[in-house]
Amino acid sequence: MVESLPPLYALRAFEVAARSSSFTRAAEELSLTQSAISRHIRTLESQFGCRLFERHGPRLVLTDVGQRLARELKSGFRIIEDACLPLRANSGQLRLKAPSTLTMRWLLRVLEQFKGDCPELPVQLASVWMDFDHADLHAEPYDCAILLGNGHFGAGVEACKLFDEWLIPIGAPQPADAPAWTLERLAQAELIHPSADRRDWRRWLQAQPEQGLAQALRLDRGTVFDTLDQAISAAMAGHGLSVGDLHLVAEDIRRGRVGLPFPRAVASGDGYYLVWLRGSLQQERIACLRQYLLERVVPIDDLALDYLVPGAPRA
């Protein structure tokens, strides 16, 4: 019976690729190469005698058979994970997933401090690119995650807000005698978008008091990046104007590495949350990390009170 089963590593590669709709992201999660993931999928397709994925341009789409297999494997790997979880919990290591920009611009520094202050609680951090922040704590190998969202992360998931997202336009520092930024100048500026849906510029524009500004500024132009960190770096280098999170660019503002063409920060309605499964066996360790993170969040008023748009929601 065992000999008739496909290789477990190939099934795992397929399950992760199906969940992420990407061989590249599956390779990153499993610490393999993209070609290795492709070989594992071909092994399964050869053994099953059917296609599991179809390509539609750059997109991967599961076939009907692939969807059924992915659904069953997700349940199967969840059972395996649950069986192993008590043993992992006893190891004392907390497995944390976090988005890459937050990691580079805030979390790494805080976790270095946590390592020195709480050496008895090691944290294994996985910094992961996510278009929209997501963690399936039932299927993915993490005890908790920090995600950007509206606070609703699904049934059985506990969440604690760390800080709100405040959006503010950013660019390269300008000399003292540079002309002042105007909305007319903004309409002609090169725009930088931290995500393909251009949601950050849209949210900032919709909160501005000038009538019709959101409709007057074309958002279908400009350069699109995969991550907020890439967009921030491009703006700092003078390639255009982007939108940054006030918490994540505060240090750059203080050090004069970032210019603020329009010093008006707008609360997007989202925030960064620490999330974990209700009833997690790591509950006590997660609580220690949660308290430590909360104590190292700088209140938004201390960051830049003058930048907040009047009437915007406060944390």
Side-chain angles (χ1 to χ4, degrees):
M1 182 66 182
V2 173
E3 293 179 356
S4 66
L5 289 175
L8 183 62
Y9 52 78
L11 293 173
R12 185 58 166 169
F14 167 75
E15 189 274 330
V16 177
R19 170 161 38 86
S20 61
S21 299
S22 168
F23 285 4
T24 300
R25 292 199 284 276
E28 291 173 353
E29 182 170 329
L30 296 176
S31 299
L32 298 172
T33 64
Q34 185 176 343
S35 61
I37 298 293
S38 298
R39 286 197 303 273
H40 293 329
I41 302 304
R42 288 198 300 270
T43 295
L44 294 178
E45 290 179 333
S46 175
Q47 185 159 350
F48 294 144
C50 62
R51 295 296 296 265
L52 299 175
F53 287 101
E54 298 287 353
R55 284 197 175 274
H56 294 268
R59 295 191 305 118
L60 279 177
V61 178
L62 286 165
T63 63
D64 291 341
V65 174
Q67 289 180 2
R68 185 163 61 251
L69 179 62
R71 184 169 56 250
E72 297 298 331
L73 286 178
K74 179 178 180 180
S75 299
F77 280 114
R78 177 180 174 181
I79 293 172
I80 295 173
E81 179 72 17
D82 288 345
C84 298
L85 188 58
L87 302 178
R88 288 179 172 174
N90 290 334
S91 71
Q93 190 172 65
L94 196 61
R95 299 164 298 162
L96 172 65
K97 178 182 182 180
S100 54
T101 300
L102 178 77
T103 296
M104 295 303 298
R105 295 191 162 270
W106 182 72
L107 186 59
L108 269 181
R109 181 176 66 254
V110 175
L111 289 183
E112 280 297 315
Q113 297 169 352
F114 184 74
K115 181 179 179 180
D117 294 340
C118 305
E120 72 284 358
L121 178 52
V123 175
Q124 182 187 71
L125 172 64
S127 180
V128 181
W129 178 87
M130 295 174 276
D131 185 13
F132 286 91
D133 289 10
H134 172 76
D136 185 346
L137 297 176
H138 291 291
E140 297 180 69
Y142 308 112
D143 302 301
C144 53
I146 299 178
L147 304 175
L148 178 65
N150 60 9
H152 304 291
F153 297 98
V157 177
E158 301 279 0
C160 171
K161 184 191 290 184
L162 300 176
F163 54 86
D164 286 301
E165 180 185 49
W166 286 84
L167 302 177
I168 190 167
I170 61 171
Q174 298 289 301
D177 58 351
W181 278 93
T182 64
L183 297 179
E184 291 74 18
R185 186 182 173 191
L186 174 62
Q188 302 301 318
E190 182 70 18
L191 297 183
I192 295 172
H193 303 281
S195 60
D197 61 7
R198 297 162 165 81
R199 61 183 179 267
D200 289 344
W201 268 115
R202 186 173 295 108
R203 285 173 167 178
W204 185 83
L205 288 168
Q206 289 172 348
Q208 301 311 304
E210 292 80 0
Q211 295 295 321
L213 178 59
Q215 290 73 34
L217 188 63
R218 289 183 53 192
L219 296 183
D220 60 346
R221 59 187 179 85
T223 306
V224 177
F225 286 94
D226 282 338
T227 69
L228 178 59
D229 195 50
Q230 291 174 336
I232 291 172
S233 297
M236 291 170 60
H239 297 295
L241 298 185
S242 185
V243 176
D245 183 315
L246 189 55
H247 278 281
L248 303 184
V249 298
E251 184 64 21
D252 293 308
I253 294 172
R254 281 193 292 266
R255 293 180 178 274
R257 295 191 292 248
V258 166
L260 300 177
F262 297 92
R264 312 171 186 174
V266 171
S268 70
D270 287 336
Y272 286 95
Y273 291 78
L274 180 67
V275 303
W276 63 95
L277 290 178
R278 184 177 299 124
S280 169
L281 296 177
Q282 295 275 37
Q283 192 91 21
E284 185 175 336
R285 297 185 177 104
I286 293 171
C288 292
L289 177 63
R290 179 180 70 233
Q291 186 60 36
Y292 195 91
L293 294 176
L294 287 170
E295 290 172 354
R296 275 141 190 86
V297 173
V298 179
I300 190 67
D301 288 352
D302 293 345
L303 283 177
L305 180 60
D306 294 340
Y307 301 152
L308 306 187
V309 171
R314 307 296 286 272

